[in-house]
């Protein structure tokens, strides 16, 4: 690892320090994080098993939910094992290329999750605003195309972040990353060179995926609310609105945490570093934890199948 003028040339290993300022209590922070991860794994795995095994749930809304559950499992698994290695076993080192790969996986699956939430909003829009055409529009073929499309969009847009770091940034002021996982800006800020292109492209990806999706999700729900409130019967309005509650909760949970974490990390210069890192960690851990709980509580079909699943286990 050659050094020149107090810089490191193309480091092979980086050191993740965890949560700066809270190193003395990281062991204890790891306990609720681990509990959240276990619950998220169990909840999302249970959702996948139930949706796969129950043919009545092979509908667009539930198949999108299965995609969301699989994405949440991968996203939380990308960060938690290594994070607990730092907190509990004092294993902060990570190979530079492995760090870039983790960064790419994290940002790719964040983009996939956002795309799935957009698809779920469009599904609810067609189901409520044009119910007679819903089955003919949201075919299994279209669902497959949406899944492939949101995956390719996220993967291809995140890839240049990795390439720009690997091939543009050669000299680094330090190899110590003030984070608990490999986040794009946390790595870029280590460089001793001009990072404006990296920053601009990072903002472009964030706004072209999250910004685009949130605009169209919002427009979809404006149209849904207009249609719902124009229904003549109160019971029909409540029934239609009830099918959207779970998705609205997940939508706010994902995007509010995401944008707050994004903007505090880039523009919250007076906010303590540990607040940035905790928000970033919660952004990746809270949605996988809450999504199956929200859908399990608010969706009767899921709730009934969960009860049936455990009741059959007890009976046997």
């Amino acid at each position: 690892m050659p050094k020149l003028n107090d810089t490191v040339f193309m480091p092979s290993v980086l050191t993740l320090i965890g949560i700066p300022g809270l190193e003395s209590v990281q062991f204890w922070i790891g306990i609720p994080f681990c509990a959240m991860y276990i619950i998220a794994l169990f909840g999302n795995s249970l959702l996948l098993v139930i949706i796969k095994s129950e043919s009545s749930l092979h509908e667009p809304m539930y198949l999108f939910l299965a995609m969301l559950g699989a994405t949440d499992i991968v996203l939380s698994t990308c960060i938690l094992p290594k994070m607990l290695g730092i907190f509990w076993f004092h294993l902060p080192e990570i190979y530079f290329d492995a760090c870039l790969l983790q960064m790419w996986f994290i940002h790719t699956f964040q983009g996939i999750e956002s795309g799935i939430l957009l698809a779920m909003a469009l599904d609810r829009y067609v189901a409520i605003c044009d119910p007679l055409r819903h089955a003919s529009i949201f075919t299994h073929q279209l669902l497959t195309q949406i899944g492939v499309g949101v995956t390719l969009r996220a993967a291809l847009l995140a890839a240049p972040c990795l390439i720009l770091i690997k091939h543009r940034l050669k000299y680094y002021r330090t190899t110590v990353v003030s984070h608990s996982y490999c986040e794009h800006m946390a790595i870029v800020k280590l460089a001793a060179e001009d990072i404006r292109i990296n920053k601009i492209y990072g903002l472009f990806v964030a706004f072209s995926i999250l910004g685009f999706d949130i605009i169209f999700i919002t427009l979809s729900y404006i149209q849904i609310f207009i249609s719902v409130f124009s229904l003549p019967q109160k019971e029909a309005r409540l029934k239609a609105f009830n099918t959207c509650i779970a998705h609205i909760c997940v939508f706010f949970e994902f995007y509010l945490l995401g944008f707050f974490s994004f903007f505090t990390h880039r523009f919250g210069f007076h906010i303590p570093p540990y607040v940035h890192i905790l928000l970033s960690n919660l952004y990746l851990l809270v949605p996988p934890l809450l999504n199956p709980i929200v859908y399990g509580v608010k969706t009767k079909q899921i709730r009934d199948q969960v009860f049936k699943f455990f009741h059959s286990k007890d009976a046997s």
Side-chain angles (χ1 to χ4, degrees):
M1 194 182 295
K3 292 191 175 183
L4 181 65
N5 297 330
D6 295 325
T7 61
V8 181
F9 178 72
M10 298 187 69
S12 58
V13 177
L14 298 177
T15 301
L16 294 163
I17 65 172
I19 304 175
L22 297 179
E23 290 89 346
S24 61
V25 294
Q26 283 184 161
F27 179 90
W28 303 107
I29 293 172
I31 295 173
F33 279 11
C34 183
M36 292 166 70
Y37 177 60
I38 292 170
I39 295 169
L41 278 183
F42 175 77
N44 286 292
S45 299
L46 180 61
L47 270 182
L48 289 173
V49 169
I50 287 172
I51 292 170
K52 183 179 185 298
S53 60
E54 182 54 49
S55 58
S56 65
L57 298 180
H58 293 176
E59 298 177 7
M61 184 173 107
Y62 303 110
L63 294 175
F64 282 135
L65 180 55
M67 293 182 197
L68 191 67
T71 302
D72 283 338
I73 289 172
V74 176
L75 189 55
S76 55
T77 302
C78 282
I79 67 161
L80 221 291
K82 179 59 184 176
M83 193 185 299
L84 293 180
I86 299 167
F87 292 174
W88 289 352
F89 304 108
H90 306 292
L91 299 171
E93 288 83 14
I94 183 170
Y95 287 110
F96 187 83
D97 289 341
C99 191
L100 292 183
L101 185 62
Q102 185 194 49
M103 179 200 78
W104 180 77
F105 268 113
I106 290 169
H107 295 308
T108 294
F109 280 93
Q110 284 176 325
I112 292 172
E113 180 144 356
S114 181
I116 294 170
L117 290 176
L118 172 59
M120 294 172 84
L122 294 175
D123 170 65
R124 289 300 85 205
Y125 166 72
V126 176
I128 291 171
C129 299
D130 196 0
L132 297 179
R133 297 182 59 206
H134 181 260
S136 63
I137 293 174
F138 278 89
T139 61
H140 284 269
Q141 182 181 2
L142 179 64
L143 265 61
T144 302
Q145 292 170 347
I146 289 172
V148 172
V150 298
T151 301
L152 287 177
R153 180 190 68 159
L156 293 176
L157 282 173
C161 291
L162 186 153
I163 295 167
L164 285 171
I165 292 174
K166 185 71 174 175
H167 295 287
R168 281 195 74 252
L169 307 179
K170 303 294 184 182
Y171 292 94
Y172 292 80
R173 284 188 291 268
T174 178
T175 59
V176 178
V177 184
S178 297
H179 216 300
S180 52
Y181 63 85
C182 296
E183 196 268 342
H184 177 246
M185 283 307 299
I187 300 171
V188 166
K189 287 178 179 178
L190 303 180
E193 301 171 74
D194 186 1
I195 60 173
R196 280 177 297 180
I197 292 176
N198 300 75
K199 281 184 171 181
I200 290 168
Y201 187 75
L203 286 169
F204 166 74
V205 171
F207 284 106
S208 60
I209 293 181
L210 298 182
F212 175 87
D213 291 350
I214 200 169
I215 288 170
F216 280 92
I217 290 172
T218 302
L219 291 174
S220 297
Y221 271 99
I222 289 172
Q223 290 297 317
I224 287 170
F225 290 147
I226 291 171
S227 297
V228 167
F229 288 117
S230 65
L231 293 173
Q233 295 180 335
K234 183 179 179 182
E235 289 182 3
R237 289 199 298 269
L238 289 174
K239 185 178 179 181
F241 185 69
N242 194 51
T243 64
C244 302
I245 290 177
H247 184 260
I248 292 170
C249 292
V250 170
F251 166 72
F252 278 113
E253 154 216 322
F254 179 78
Y255 287 106
L256 286 179
L257 270 173
F259 276 103
F260 197 66
S261 172
F262 178 84
F263 285 111
T264 55
H265 194 71
R266 282 160 177 78
F267 308 112
F269 302 111
H270 302 296
I271 298 175
Y274 66 83
V275 175
H276 294 295
I277 309 307
L278 283 173
L279 280 173
S280 297
N281 291 335
L282 290 174
Y283 171 49
L284 295 182
L285 291 175
V286 170
L289 169 72
L290 290 184
N291 289 352
I293 296 173
V294 169
Y295 278 100
V297 170
K298 296 303 300 180
T299 309
K300 184 179 184 299
Q301 293 88 336
I302 297 286
R303 196 166 61 243
D304 290 345
Q305 291 303 321
V306 170
F307 177 78
K308 181 180 174 183
F309 179 83
F310 285 108
H311 185 69
S312 64
K313 293 284 184 184
D314 291 339
S316 62

